[in-house]
Amino acid sequence: MLDLLDEIERWLTEGHRVALARVIDVQGSSPRDPGAAMAVCETGEVRGSVAGGCVEGALVSEALKVLETGAARLCTFGYSDDEAFAVGLTCGGTIKIFLELVS
Amino acid sequence: MQGVLAAAYDCLRRDEAFAFATIIAMRDNAAAHAVPVGSKILVKADGSAIGDLGSPELNAAAATRLLHALNESRGGLWHCGVDGEAQRDDLTIYIDAFTRRPRMIIFGAVDFTRALVRVAKTLGYHVSVCDARGAFATAERFPEADDVIVDWPHRFLRGLTPRLGPSDAVCVLTHDEKFDIPALVEVLRTDAGYIGAMGSRRTNEKRRARLEAEGVGADQIDRLMAPIGIDIGARSPEETAIAICAEIIATRSATPVPSLRDSSGPIHRVAGHEDGDLTQCRVEDDDSSNAR
């Protein structure tokens, strides 16, 4: 998390908008525990991770929506999702992620 | 960065424990709540708080929860009413808890130390290297270490604050009784979660006897992981560092692993020999060798 905040601070100092995503709940098998975090800069740069790499791509587009609207959002990724085949966790678990704009 | 995240950043940089709560969802009936989703409050170990979740009652209830999370170093989801009432789910709040970084103290400024410093840093430890010999304990030899201290290990331990706790690890790599024994007597008085010492099986037998003679109880001596590391046939300093850190992780997670301490036979095997040939490739269990 310290590495992430170092980077977030740098992006903000450069005048960029930044979104922070945090795993807040995990059901079943999942690579990372709650608390795992990922930061997305409006330039498209990404730091950190919330899973094993399987949902990070989809999460970037969610983060870009947060950057656009400024509104926080909750996302769920997993097999129970309609989009399971697109962005599901290959390990079969479900993770809930909270995304917010950092100011 | 502003507000609670700035305070969190400050705590992380100063290696101070803290916990913070974020409102992540509100039911429609809480839409009139004074603050929006994303609002936060942070509490430090001394009880001081920064931030606002929208009502004094909720802030007080959150502070109590956060102190508990901080002590347990465990966050999670919390459902409550808009004033922190239990058995309501108007608000969903996520709690993050951060403890200070775990410490690893390595005694002995040897080649194995440098490799161990690197692996321990990868795992997020604050790493201190301590050796009484100024010629060996230099920042140039251990550039990745957080600090390199020239002192007698037992004296360094006595002055250490805060005291070592269950998430901390101590590795004694000195290979020298006059440093090892006083250091281990002192380390075994702490609550360090992992205590390991390098040396051959024969060195370890002698070490146990010396510790007993120093008045250390058998139950305390049994905390000692020696020979240090798990049995993966490690040979180089880097491989040995992995074997040690694997044992530290297994100790923390209470997972059974083939620790060298719990096995018998040679610590180092000659490559290419099958198990049946072990007796032939037993290395000289001699203190002058660098056997673990």
Side-chain angles (χ1 to χ4, degrees), chain B:
Chain B
M1 227 178 303
Q2 295 163 358
V4 168
L5 278 184
Y9 188 40
D10 197 45
C11 286
L12 281 170
R13 268 191 304 195
R14 287 195 276 162
D15 205 11
E16 252 180 82
F18 68 99
F20 74 99
T22 309
I23 300 180
I24 59 163
M26 283 182 197
R27 282 197 179 281
D28 290 344
N29 60 347
H33 194 60
V35 295
V37 164
S39 298
K40 297 177 177 61
I41 188 167
L42 176 146
V43 167
K44 293 192 208 176
D46 63 7
S48 61
I50 173 168
D52 182 21
L53 294 184
S55 91
E57 293 80 9
L58 178 56
N59 287 340
T64 308
R65 285 248 163 192
L66 287 169
L67 273 178
H68 183 72
L70 199 155
N71 290 330
E72 304 274 306
S73 57
R74 214 185 135 86
L77 287 171
W78 172 36
H79 300 279
C80 64
V82 291
D83 286 322
E85 305 94 322
Q87 276 146 22
R88 300 281 298 265
D89 62 354
D90 307 311
L91 301 179
T92 305
I93 292 173
Y94 181 68
I95 292 176
D96 266 305
F98 295 86
T99 48
R100 68 171 174 84
R101 273 191 296 163
R103 287 197 74 156
M104 181 187 287
I105 316 267
I106 309 173
F107 292 124
V110 298
D111 261 5
F112 287 94
T113 309
R114 173 129 195 223
L116 184 54
V117 170
R118 286 207 200 112
V119 179
K121 288 301 294 177
T122 303
L123 293 175
Y125 282 90
H126 176 282
V127 184
S128 305
V129 175
C130 173
D131 195 306
R133 303 163 303 168
F136 292 98
T138 65
E140 289 71 31
R141 291 192 67 211
F142 305 102
E144 299 95 346
D146 290 280
D147 32 50
V148 180
I149 299 121
V150 181
D151 199 353
W152 279 70
H154 64 285
R155 223 166 49 185
F156 166 68
L157 277 171
R158 271 182 213 154
L160 195 65
T161 50
R163 298 265 299 165
L164 296 174
S167 56
D168 302 317
V170 178
C171 300
V172 179
L173 310 185
T174 38
H175 263 129
D176 188 335
E177 273 196 355
K178 70 176 178 293
F179 298 118
D180 283 11
I181 301 299
L184 285 170
V185 168
E186 205 60 41
V187 173
L188 290 167
R189 286 186 184 138
T190 72
D191 293 326
Y194 176 90
I195 303 168
M198 194 175 263
S200 67
R201 295 199 188 279
R202 201 172 76 178
T203 301
N204 193 43
E205 285 311 307
K206 286 202 300 199
R207 184 185 281 140
R208 286 188 68 100
R210 283 287 309 273
L211 288 171
E212 269 168 40
E214 292 287 332
V216 183
D219 52 334
Q220 288 306 306
I221 297 177
D222 283 343
R223 292 168 63 200
L224 187 59
M225 303 305 286
I228 196 168
I230 63 168
D231 190 0
I232 50 171
R235 200 71 178 95
S236 67
E238 292 74 18
E239 291 174 352
T240 305
I242 299 280
I244 294 170
C245 287
E247 188 168 68
I248 293 173
I249 296 166
T251 303
R252 191 203 59 213
S253 64
T255 303
V257 288
S259 280
L260 283 168
R261 181 183 78 162
D262 304 322
S263 62
S264 56
I267 293 172
H268 304 302
R269 290 181 206 106
V270 177
H273 287 253
E274 295 302 320
D275 276 351
D277 290 334
L278 278 184
T279 47
Q280 292 169 24
C281 55
R282 195 175 289 262
V283 294
E284 196 61 34
D285 200 9
D286 183 317
D287 291 341
S288 65
S289 78
N290 63 357
R292 277 152 53 218

Side-chain angles (χ1 to χ4, degrees), chain A residues 63-76:
Chain A
L64 293 175
K65 284 182 208 161
V66 170
L67 289 173
E68 204 176 299
T69 64
R73 56 200 293 139
L74 269 174
C75 297
T76 304

Side-chain angles (χ1 to χ4, degrees), chain A residues 1 8 25 27 52 59 63 68 73 86 95-97:
Chain A
M1 183 88 176
I8 290 173
D25 200 16
Q27 306 286 330
L59 192 58
E68 204 176 299
R73 56 200 293 139
I95 55 174
K96 264 193 189 156
I97 294 168

